[in-house]
Amino acid sequence: GAVVSQHPSRVICKSGTSVKIECRSLDFQATTMFWYRQFPKQSLMLMATSNEGSKATYEQGVEKDKFLINHASLTLSTLTVTSAHPEDSSFYICSARDEGGPKADTQYFGPGTRLTVL
Amino acid sequence: GESVGLHLPTLSVQEGDNSIINCAYSNSASDYFIWYKQESGKGPQFIIDIRSNMDKRQGQRVTVLLNKTVKHLSLQIAATQPGDSAVYFCAENDGGSNYKLTFGKGTLLTVNP
C-alpha cells in the first residue's frame, strides 16, 4: 500500500522550455501532496505543499510563477517548471500522505524525476 | 553531528556489523520523527517512525531511539548487509496542521562485504 508514482522519471529539455512532472498516489487518495527538490549530495528541500482543490502553499524563496502546481484530483498533483534554465536542473521528488491509512502523518515518496536543462 | 555544505557525513561498516546513524534535530516542538533510506537515483523509502511519547521503537533489524532532552535521534541497523548501503535521512514533523517534514542532512552508509 501507499505507493506514489512520478512521471517522467527523467527529462532533458532546452533552456526556456516548460516541463510538467506528474505525481500520482496509486492506491490511496491524498488531499495533500508535497514537492521537494534535491541537489547532488544534499538533503531534500521542500518547495511547496499541494492542496487538492485549492492553491499550493510555497516555501520561502520558491517562485510560485516559475513552479506551477496543480492538484486537480485526489490522486494527481502536477509540477510545471516554466521557462526552465540550467540552474533548475535537479532531482524533483513528490510525496503524499495516506490520510485514511494507519500512518496518516507519514509521507510516502515517489521515485523522483531527474530534470536536466541544457 | 551533521556537516554543513555539500559533504554528507559517512559511515563505513563491515557486513554483519551493527550500524548506528545519528541525527540532531532542532525543533523542540517536533513530535513525530521518521527515518528514510534513499538509494542512488531513487526516492526516499520509509524505514521506521517514532512519536515523541516514546523513546524507543523496534522494527525488523532496525531500532530508533529518541532522546528529547538533547534533541537526538538514532537509527540502529542490526547485522548490516550490502543492500543497506544508501543515504539515511531523519525527518521531523512539528505537529502542525500542514504535516510538513524537515529533513536532516543525511548520512551515507557504506557496507563493505
Side-chain angles (χ1 to χ4, degrees):
Chain A
V3 178
V4 178
S5 70
Q6 277 183 246
H7 178 81
S9 58
R10 63 176 61 232
V11 56
I12 300 173
C13 69
K14 293 182 179 179
S15 185
T17 61
S18 294
V19 174
K20 180 186 284 188
I21 303 170
E22 292 184 349
C23 177
R24 294 183 186 273
S25 55
L26 297 187
D27 51 0
F28 64 99
Q29 294 184 330
T31 58
T32 308
M33 293 183 174
F34 302 86
W35 287 97
Y36 294 81
R37 181 167 49 181
Q38 186 179 33
F39 293 107
K41 298 189 187 301
Q42 294 192 29
S43 189
L44 284 75
M45 295 300 296
L46 180 65
M47 299 174 66
T49 303
S50 173
N51 305 297
E52 188 269 336
S54 65
K55 292 183 179 180
T57 305
Y58 290 83
E59 295 300 298
Q60 191 172 8
V62 177
E63 299 174 58
K64 59 183 67 176
D65 294 332
K66 181 169 184 62
F67 298 100
L68 301 179
I69 292 172
N70 187 335
H71 193 152
S73 79
L74 288 172
T75 59
L76 173 65
S77 175
T78 61
L79 169 69
T80 300
V81 183
T82 62
S83 187
H85 291 284
E87 57 266 30
D88 298 322
S89 298
S90 189
F91 194 50
Y92 291 86
I93 315 172
C94 72
S95 71
R97 291 175 47 234
D98 182 2
E99 295 142 28
K103 290 185 179 294
D105 295 358
T106 303
Q107 291 182 25
Y108 297 94
F109 285 83
T113 297
R114 173 75 59 193
L115 171 63
T116 303
V117 185
L118 303 176
Chain B
E2 298 180 339
S3 66
V4 176
L6 300 179
H7 301 288
L8 283 175
T10 59
L11 175 65
S12 184
V13 302
Q14 291 297 123
E15 182 178 359
D17 287 352
N18 296 332
S19 302
I20 299 177
I21 300 171
N22 297 303
C23 177
Y25 65 94
S26 55
N27 189 349
S28 57
S30 292
D31 64 357
Y32 180 54
F33 305 87
I34 309 171
W35 279 100
Y36 287 97
K37 171 187 180 183
Q38 186 179 29
E39 296 175 276
S40 182
K42 297 183 179 180
Q45 174 188 356
F46 173 89
I47 301 175
I48 192 168
D49 58 356
I50 189 168
R51 298 201 177 274
S52 59
N53 61 352
M54 303 174 70
D55 53 21
K56 179 178 180 179
R57 191 152 187 258
Q58 288 185 289
Q60 188 175 14
R61 278 202 309 122
V62 293
T63 300
V64 55
L65 299 177
L66 174 63
N67 185 329
K68 295 181 289 293
T69 303
V70 296
K71 298 203 283 284
H72 183 268
L73 198 64
S74 69
L75 176 69
Q76 300 178 3
I77 304 174
T80 315
Q81 303 167 0
D84 295 327
S85 295
V87 177
Y88 289 81
F89 293 98
C90 65
E92 60 184 296
N93 181 314
D94 65 3
S97 60
N98 53 20
Y99 296 96
K100 291 198 299 186
L101 291 177
T102 301
F103 279 77
K105 297 204 182 299
T107 296
L108 173 62
L109 174 65
T110 301
V111 182
N112 303 307

